[in-house]
């Protein structure tokens, strides 16, 4: 070992070696919860990546408003600088998949520092780009830099309309994998939303009434106020006399006539005809 080697040069060589090892490391392990995927990836640092937000947390409303994704299903990916090799690969991959994201009703937004933005870079791709002034959104979310602060952290979020985080993925040296992870979660979320809408439709489905709403309300009111009468039996004439059908209640005039007939003896008939 050369003890006269400057400390800064030794640190740079160590960082470069770590970065090379990370680039050829196995794919990071994923742990899913519901529709979301919280991925812990390795980078140039020896320690696991410390991501800004966790799965299931809420993306800050003011940050979402700054990025233009408040109230939307969206994919928000943070990257370092326009035109760098890895950032260009990621932009190309998101551009290639942007039609699929749009079909799933997800908007894709790339976020980089205003100091690292180049107008001609954003014009090459179909996704929308936002410049993060002074890295204010990065700082608010807590996205850490890589390579001892030399590279801005590369981190992707999938959020729904309520702002709930469905995916967090951080990997500095696997830019295309950000697209694959985000698309997978967006497809699952869209499928779940579609199933939920269909279930709600059939649960609330009612056949239309031919008589109209007003007539139904009046009928229901009458049915509740009066006891049920008639039916099939009431439409069939009775042939069995009093046993089959009870007589209707007499009116006041009929009641008086019945009372008079009961008090007076019966007259006429066959016997009265004989002389």
């Amino acid at each position: 070992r050369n003890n006269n080697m400057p400390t800064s040069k030794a640190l740079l060589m160590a960082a470069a070696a770590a970065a090379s090892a990370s680039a050829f490391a196995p794919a990071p392990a994923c742990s899913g919860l519901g529709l979301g995927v919280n991925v812990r990836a390795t980078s140039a640092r020896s320690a696991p990546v410390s991501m800004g937000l966790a799965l299931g947390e809420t993306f800050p409303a003011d940050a979402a408003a700054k990025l233009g994704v408040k109230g939307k299903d969206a994919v928000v990916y943070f990257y370092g600088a326009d035109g760098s090799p890895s950032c260009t690969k990621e932009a190309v991959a998101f551009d290639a998949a942007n039609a699929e994201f749009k079909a799933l009703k997800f908007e894709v937004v790339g976020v980089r520092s205003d100091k690292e933005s180049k107008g001609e870079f954003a014009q090459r791709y179909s996704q929308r780009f936002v410049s993060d002034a002074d890295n204010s959104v990065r700082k608010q979310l807590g996205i850490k830099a890589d390579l001892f602060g030399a590279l801005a952290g590369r981190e992707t979020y999938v959020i729904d309309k309520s702002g709930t985080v469905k995916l967090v993925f951080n990997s500095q040296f696997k830019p295309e994998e950000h697209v694959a992870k985000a698309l997978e979660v967006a497809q699952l979320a869209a499928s779940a939303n579609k199933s939920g809408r269909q279930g709600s439709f059939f649960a609330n489905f009612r056949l239309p009434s031919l008589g109209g709403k007003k007539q139904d309300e009046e009928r229901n009111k009458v049915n509740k106020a009066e006891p049920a009468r008639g039916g099939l039996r009431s439409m069939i004439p009775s042939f069995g006399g009093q046993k089959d059908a009870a007589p209707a209640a007499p009116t006041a005039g009929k009641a008086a006539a019945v009372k008079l007939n009961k008090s007076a003896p019966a007259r006429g008939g066959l016997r009265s005809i004989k002389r």
Side-chain angles (χ1 to χ4, degrees):
R1 177 181 177 181
N2 186 358
N3 294 327
N4 296 326
M5 181 181 294
T7 304
S8 59
K9 187 176 181 180
L11 288 174
L12 287 174
M13 292 180 65
S20 299
S22 175
F24 295 99
C30 303
S31 60
L33 176 63
L35 293 177
V37 180
N38 197 3
V39 181
R40 184 168 289 239
T42 57
S43 71
R45 296 172 292 182
S46 58
V49 172
S50 176
M51 291 176 284
L53 297 177
L55 181 69
E57 291 185 344
T58 301
F59 200 91
D62 56 340
K66 287 180 183 179
L67 303 178
V69 296
K70 186 177 181 180
K72 298 179 180 179
D73 292 325
V75 177
V76 180
Y77 72 97
F78 293 82
Y79 65 99
D82 290 350
S84 65
S86 295
C87 297
T88 300
K89 285 183 180 180
E90 187 174 18
V92 170
F94 268 116
D95 176 63
N98 198 28
E100 294 182 73
F101 282 111
K102 286 183 177 180
L104 298 171
K105 308 301 182 184
F106 276 81
E107 183 179 10
V108 179
V109 180
V111 185
R112 77 284 206 214
S113 171
D114 57 344
K115 298 178 181 179
E116 300 294 342
S117 62
K118 300 175 183 178
E120 65 274 11
F121 179 82
Q123 294 174 4
R124 299 173 189 169
Y125 309 105
S126 59
Q127 65 266 36
R128 186 164 60 85
F129 290 88
V130 176
S131 295
D132 184 15
D134 298 324
N135 290 321
S136 60
V137 177
R138 279 181 177 272
K139 293 173 183 177
Q140 184 177 5
L141 300 183
I143 301 174
K144 305 298 182 182
D146 293 320
L147 281 175
F148 307 99
L151 295 177
R154 189 185 307 280
E155 192 155 296
T156 296
Y157 293 91
V158 175
I159 60 175
D160 63 11
K161 292 182 178 66
S162 67
T164 303
V165 175
K166 297 296 184 181
L167 168 80
V168 187
F169 183 69
N170 186 308
S171 177
Q172 185 65 250
F173 301 104
K174 299 184 187 306
E176 290 106 337
E177 195 165 347
H178 287 253
V179 183
K181 298 291 185 187
L183 185 58
E184 180 182 1
V185 173
Q187 289 170 339
L188 290 172
S191 177
N193 290 338
K194 185 177 180 181
S195 299
R197 288 194 298 269
Q198 289 178 344
S200 175
F201 172 78
F202 286 112
N204 298 320
F205 180 75
R206 296 290 185 276
L207 287 173
S209 173
L210 297 178
K213 183 178 180 181
K214 185 175 181 180
Q215 184 174 345
D216 287 346
E217 291 176 352
E218 292 178 354
R219 185 185 298 111
N220 292 335
K221 186 176 180 181
V222 172
N223 290 340
K224 290 180 180 178
E226 299 181 4
R229 297 179 180 177
L232 290 177
R233 188 171 182 180
S234 65
M235 291 187 290
I236 302 175
S238 174
F239 297 97
Q242 299 296 330
K243 292 183 181 180
D244 290 340
T251 61
K254 290 182 179 181
V258 170
K259 183 176 181 181
L260 181 62
N261 290 337
K262 287 183 178 180
S263 60
R267 297 178 180 180
L270 293 175
R271 191 170 182 179
S272 63
I273 297 175
K274 294 180 180 180
R275 297 287 182 179

